[in-house]
Amino acid sequence: MEAVASHCGSLETLSLDSEFIHNQGVLAVAKGCPHLKSLKLQCINLTDDALKAVGVSCLSLELLALYSFQRFTD
């Protein structure tokens, strides 16, 4: 995920489906890919911190789809 963040700064669409993705990877993508317009996540190991980083850093986001999260709070 850090490689995507470092080398794909113009990325506009990303779909992630993996139990091996953690906050650190999503935080890196949120900070390194500020032009994201569409983000689909199915990653059971993410917490509120990852979602907050996306909200703060991805100001162009038009679509956010979240599936199968077990660690988010209300």
Side-chain angles (χ1 to χ4, degrees), residues 3 7-8 27 43 47 52 58 61 69-70:
H7 301 288
C8 303
L27 292 171
C43 311
T47 67
K52 287 176 189 174
C58 300
L61 202 62
F69 284 91
Q70 298 174 359

Side-chain angles (χ1 to χ4, degrees), residues 13-67:
T13 301
L14 183 62
S15 181
L16 301 171
D17 180 357
S18 174
E19 62 186 65
F20 300 108
I21 295 174
H22 297 276
N23 280 0
Q24 182 179 355
V26 174
L27 292 171
V29 168
K31 291 177 184 175
C33 303
H35 303 291
L36 276 177
K37 292 182 180 180
S38 174
L39 181 60
K40 297 177 183 179
L41 299 171
Q42 185 166 346
C43 311
I44 62 172
N45 291 313
L46 299 181
T47 67
D48 293 343
D49 293 336
L51 186 57
K52 287 176 189 174
V54 169
V56 169
S57 300
C58 300
L59 301 179
S60 299
L61 202 62
E62 297 172 2
L63 172 71
L64 177 62
L66 306 172
Y67 306 97

